[in-house]
Amino acid sequence: MVTAIQRTAGNTVATRMIQRTPTEDGQHRATQSHEAYEQTVDEYTKSGGPAKLYRAIRIATQIKRREKNSEIMAKADGDLGAGLSPAAEVTRLYQTLKNWPEAKDIEPVDANATFTVGHHVGGDNYGTQYISFSPHQDRSVSYARYNFKTGPAENLDYHTPKPRLVKNWAPVIEIDVNKLGSGVRLVNLANPAVFGQTNLSERLEIGSMAQGDGEVLIKGTIPAGAVTKVFGVEDAIKEMDLTARKELIEKDFAYGPRPRHEGAEQQDWDRVLKRTVPEHLQQYFGHLTEQPEEDEYVPSSMSVAERHKRRAAEHTPPEPESSEPVVKRPAKKRKKQTANLLSFNMDED
């Protein structure tokens, strides 16, 4: 009943505020089943929410903050690498995914947290009750390749995202909203009516990014069966042309292009490549270290006519072979030069 009244009231203070009771530890928890702006799957669908959503998944364990600044461990999505080591093997497992494994549900960092939407999208590394998705696959792929949330300042600038190393790229998953459980709640920040009820309406510097992404927050467990596609890291690399792959590697190095001359610098550059790109992805980048053979050095002091003459001589076609046998003439003997050019023989005139 309360929820129905709040929806009717629209974007008012009453719809945003819900009664909370302080717990003994000083934290606050909602007394109703869900926030006014959180929708069931049916409500979300009827209001025009996209059925397909995408996410660049978390592939490594991270440390996040609780409401009172204590730490909480955020496991990789699905925790596919449980019991597997070293970390490189876990990364390989995620980066070579073709299909999402059965019975590997995706959980929020802390299902019991009561963070606001602003906390979740603000990039402050909180362990919230929400999981972020976007209806735009290409935007999710960008989040897999670039770090837009390295700090408050970076959050505001889409033009200078920080590239992630290829070894940190993550797959992008697609989910079907209609396959989510009945207990799941969604916050569609692309919907103005929903956005206006969250505290993002007071933090437009953060909210504008969430709106641009069409961000949809999901609260609750995402069953493995709701994951309908996996857009893997290998797929992302294959879609890039060779020039883009080369530029990516050279940016990752910060050394610039691979040195053209063989030696210690070139070997060092190659070592960085192997450290930056994991072995299972080398086949897509390794050939970029190869350089074409260098042209023979021609002194710049040569005139244009001399250069053309030299090139013509280098490309003169061979003379046709003769049917007559070639007679070899003995080579003329050369006089042996004396050790000292100023000496002479006293017996000679």
Side-chain angles (χ1 to χ4, degrees), residues 328-344:
K328 292 185 178 180
R329 297 178 180 177
K332 290 183 179 180
K333 291 184 179 180
R334 294 182 179 179
K335 278 188 177 182
K336 187 175 181 181
Q337 195 170 16
T338 56
N340 188 350
L341 296 179
L342 298 179
S343 65
F344 56 92

Side-chain angles (χ1 to χ4, degrees), residues 65-283:
R65 296 159 56 193
R66 292 183 185 272
E67 288 158 299
K68 295 190 71 176
N69 289 329
S70 60
E71 294 181 348
I72 183 171
M73 198 69 71
K75 295 181 179 179
D77 286 350
D79 198 18
L80 306 186
L84 186 64
S85 62
E89 282 301 302
V90 178
T91 300
R92 184 194 62 79
L93 174 64
Y94 276 96
Q95 290 190 325
T96 56
L97 273 179
K98 304 297 182 185
N99 299 289
W100 191 257
E102 296 180 4
K104 288 294 184 179
D105 300 340
I106 299 175
E107 303 282 353
V109 177
D110 186 358
N112 297 317
T114 58
F115 282 109
T116 66
V117 171
H119 281 112
H120 181 83
V121 303
D124 294 323
N125 205 35
Y126 288 111
T128 78
Q129 68 275 26
Y130 295 116
I131 306 172
S132 291
F133 283 85
S134 170
H136 309 298
Q137 179 181 339
D138 57 344
R139 189 64 64 88
S140 298
V141 170
S142 293
Y143 274 103
R145 298 182 188 178
Y146 298 94
N147 189 355
F148 291 89
K149 296 186 176 182
T150 55
E154 287 81 354
N155 285 345
L156 307 181
D157 193 350
Y158 262 103
H159 302 292
T160 56
K162 181 181 179 183
R164 299 183 191 275
L165 296 179
V166 178
K167 66 180 181 180
N168 296 328
W169 280 17
V172 171
I173 60 170
E174 174 192 89
I175 68 165
D176 186 343
V177 170
N178 296 306
K179 295 183 179 182
L180 297 174
S182 58
V184 167
R185 296 292 180 266
L186 301 97
V187 182
N188 184 6
L189 297 177
N191 184 331
V194 172
F195 182 90
Q197 295 182 59
T198 70
N199 64 337
L200 290 181
S201 58
E202 302 164 0
R203 304 178 64 184
L204 293 179
E205 75 284 359
I206 296 173
S208 61
M209 289 187 65
Q211 282 186 312
D213 290 337
E215 192 164 354
V216 177
L217 311 184
I218 295 180
K219 184 169 81 171
T221 299
I222 298 171
V227 182
T228 49
K229 287 183 183 178
V230 176
F231 186 68
V233 172
E234 292 180 353
D235 298 320
I237 296 173
K238 287 176 184 176
E239 287 194 356
M240 301 169 63
D241 59 40
L242 293 181
T243 301
R245 295 185 207 180
K246 189 172 186 296
E247 288 177 354
L248 173 73
I249 290 299
E250 290 175 355
K251 286 179 182 177
D252 277 357
F253 291 152
Y255 287 4
R258 184 177 189 254
R260 291 178 63 85
H261 299 283
E262 292 186 4
E265 290 183 1
Q266 198 176 79
Q267 292 170 6
D268 189 41
W269 198 98
D270 290 343
R271 278 194 292 271
V272 175
L273 172 71
K274 295 182 186 302
R275 189 165 62 246
T276 305
V277 180
E279 186 177 350
H280 59 274
L281 299 178
Q282 281 288 322
Q283 58 182 314

